[in-house]
Amino acid sequence: MALPENSRRSLIPSFLYSSSASSKTLILQKMTNNINTLSPPPSAASPPSNAKNSFVIPAPSEPGKIQMYSPEFYAACTFGGILSCGLTHMAVTPLDLVKCNMQIDPAKYKSISSGFGVLLKEQGVRGFFRGWVPTLLGYSAQGACKFGFYEFFKKYYSDIAGPEYASKYKTLIYLAGSASAEFIADIALCPMEAVKVRVQTQPGFAKGLSDGFPKFIKSEGPIGLYKGLVPLWGRQIPYTMMKFASFETIVEMLYKYAIPTPKNECSKPFQLGVSFAGGYVAGILCAIVSHPADNLVSFLNNSKGATVGDAVKKIGVVGLFTRGLPLRIVMIGTLTGAQWGIYDAFKVFVGLPTTGGAAPAAVPVPTTELAKV
C-alpha cells in the first residue's frame, strides 16, 4: 500500500526536499563557516526578505569578524602600516631634520641642542617641519608595503616550511619575510626620500614637495629619484629585519618570562603597552644596525654626482657608525615603539589580535558537529 505524501516526506531530512532557499543557504553556510552559530531560518509566517539572505560585510569594530590571512586581513594590515609609518615619521620631522643636518654639516650642527638652536635662529619654528609632506607621503607608502607584505610573506614562508619547521625556524621566517617586504617598500619610498633630504639639507633649494619635486627632476632627471635606492636598501632592509624579528622575539619573551598572565588573558590596553615597549627596544637595535647606511643615504641625496666612495672618504668609517647616532637612537626608538603601538591598536580596532606572543591555536571542527549537519 502506498504511503501518504506526508509520511514519505517525514522519512527524508527536510533540507533535501525543502524549497526554501534560505534553509539551504543556512546549511551551506554552517558547513563552510566551521560550525559557527547561525540564527534560525525565518518562520513560514514571516515574509521572504532578500536582505536577510544576502552576504553582509561585518563592521570593522566587531571583534573577530575578519578572518586571519584573508584579503580583508591583509588590507587591514596594509592600512595599519600606512597609519603607523606615515603619522609617526611626520611627527618626528624636527628630529629627522636636525639629524640629517648633523650628518651633512657636523661643523655647523655640532650637537642636538645646538642643531635645534641653529635651525630656530635661521628658519624659525616653521623650519622644523620643512619637508613634512614628502615625509608623510613617502613613509605612508613604505608602511603600507612594509607591514602588508610582511604579514603576507610571513604566512607564505611558513606554509612553504610546514608547521614543524616554521615553528623551529620562526626567527628565520621573520627575517626573510621582513627583508622581502622592505625590498618592495623601499621602491615606494625612494623618490619621496630623495626630495625630502634635499629640501631639508639645502637651504633655499625648495620650500617643500610642490616646488622641490620638479626642481629635483630638472636637476637630477627622473632616474635621480632612485640614486639612493641601493643605500636605502642597505639602511632599511637590515633595519626592518631587526625591527620585526627582534620585536617578535622580545614580545614572545616578555609574555613567556616577564608577564605572569597568558597573553589571551591580558587586557587589550596592556597588550598594546607590551607592543610599545617591545617596539622601543627593537627600535634601539634597529638604529645601531642601520646607522652607517643612513649616513650614506643623507650624503648621496645631498651631493650631486657623489658616490659611496666619496661618502666614506668624506665622513670616515668611524663617522659612518657614530655621526648623529645618539639622536637617531632616541628618534628611532620612539618612532618604532609608536609604530608598533599604532599598528596593533588598529588591528585591535578591527578585531584582530596584537602582533607577537603565542599565536592563537587553531580550533578544529568537532566531528560531532559535522555529524549533526
Side-chain angles (χ1 to χ4, degrees):
M1 182 175 66
L3 292 172
E5 178 65 20
N6 291 339
S7 300
R8 290 201 305 269
R9 291 181 62 173
S10 65
L11 299 177
I12 305 173
S14 60
F15 70 85
L16 294 179
Y17 61 78
S18 173
S19 60
S20 172
S22 63
S23 64
K24 295 178 184 178
T25 303
L26 289 173
I27 293 297
L28 291 174
Q29 288 177 340
K30 194 172 183 181
M31 295 175 67
T32 57
N33 290 333
N34 293 333
I35 321 302
N36 287 333
T37 302
L38 297 172
S39 57
S43 63
S46 302
S49 173
N50 292 331
K52 291 183 180 180
N53 295 329
S54 62
F55 174 73
V56 178
I57 298 176
S61 58
E62 295 177 7
K65 296 300 184 182
I66 294 181
Q67 184 180 356
M68 292 292 290
Y69 311 117
S70 64
E72 293 80 9
F73 167 77
Y74 293 118
C77 294
T78 298
F79 190 76
I82 292 174
L83 294 177
S84 67
C85 288
L87 295 178
T88 52
H89 275 277
M90 183 185 68
V92 298
T93 296
L95 286 173
D96 189 40
L97 189 61
V98 174
K99 183 264 300 179
C100 288
N101 281 284
M102 287 176 67
Q103 292 171 332
I104 297 302
D105 192 356
K108 183 177 181 180
Y109 299 87
K110 298 178 181 180
S111 65
I112 298 173
S113 57
S114 66
F116 275 104
V118 170
L119 283 175
L120 181 63
K121 181 180 179 180
E122 293 185 352
Q123 303 179 32
V125 176
R126 293 183 61 183
F128 288 125
F129 288 92
R130 197 170 73 248
W132 72 269
V133 176
T135 297
L136 175 63
L137 297 179
Y139 282 94
S140 293
Q142 185 216 31
C145 298
K146 184 199 296 269
F147 283 90
F149 279 111
Y150 171 69
E151 299 286 0
F152 170 79
F153 283 118
K154 183 168 68 170
K155 177 68 164 60
Y156 179 73
Y157 293 144
S158 295
D159 290 342
I160 292 176
E164 180 181 353
Y165 288 108
S167 177
K168 186 176 181 180
Y169 300 109
K170 56 188 173 184
T171 301
L172 292 178
I173 289 174
Y174 299 151
L175 292 171
S178 56
S180 301
E182 189 60 38
F183 182 87
I184 299 170
D186 288 343
I187 297 174
L189 168 64
C190 195
M192 292 295 103
E193 179 74 359
V195 176
K196 174 189 81 74
V197 171
R198 186 67 62 87
V199 169
Q200 290 180 337
T201 58
Q202 285 192 9
F205 174 76
K207 295 180 180 179
L209 179 65
S210 59
D211 58 338
F213 190 84
K215 275 189 176 182
F216 194 101
I217 294 291
K218 184 177 180 180
S219 173
E220 303 281 349
I223 199 169
L225 293 170
Y226 286 93
K227 182 178 67 174
L229 179 59
V230 174
L232 191 62
W233 277 332
R235 180 188 77 183
Q236 290 297 131
I237 291 178
Y239 165 88
T240 302
M241 292 171 71
M242 179 65 74
K243 173 180 180 175
F244 283 89
S246 62
F247 172 82
E248 298 260 17
T249 302
I250 290 167
V251 169
E252 182 179 353
M253 297 285 283
L254 287 173
Y255 282 114
K256 189 174 182 179
Y257 298 109
I259 301 170
T261 307
K263 177 183 175 180
N264 59 354
E265 296 179 14
C266 295
S267 67
K268 294 301 182 183
F270 183 86
Q271 292 184 33
L272 294 177
V274 172
S275 295
F276 177 82
Y280 199 99
V281 176
I284 294 173
L285 299 175
C286 292
I288 296 171
V289 168
S290 62
H291 194 64
D294 184 63
N295 273 310
L296 289 177
V297 170
S298 296
F299 185 88
L300 293 176
N301 284 327
N302 185 65
S303 305
K304 184 177 180 179
T307 64
V308 173
D310 296 332
V312 174
K313 184 177 179 180
K314 176 77 173 179
I315 301 174
V317 176
V318 175
L320 287 175
F321 284 88
T322 59
R323 182 181 290 181
L325 180 60
L327 178 57
R328 192 159 185 265
I329 286 176
V330 174
M331 185 183 80
I332 297 299
T334 306
L335 193 73
T336 308
Q339 284 178 357
W340 279 114
I342 293 172
Y343 178 66
D344 275 352
F346 182 77
K347 288 176 72 176
V348 168
F349 172 73
V350 298
L352 292 170
T354 57
T355 311
V363 180
V365 180
T367 55
T368 54
E369 292 292 337
L370 288 174
K372 290 179 182 178
V373 176

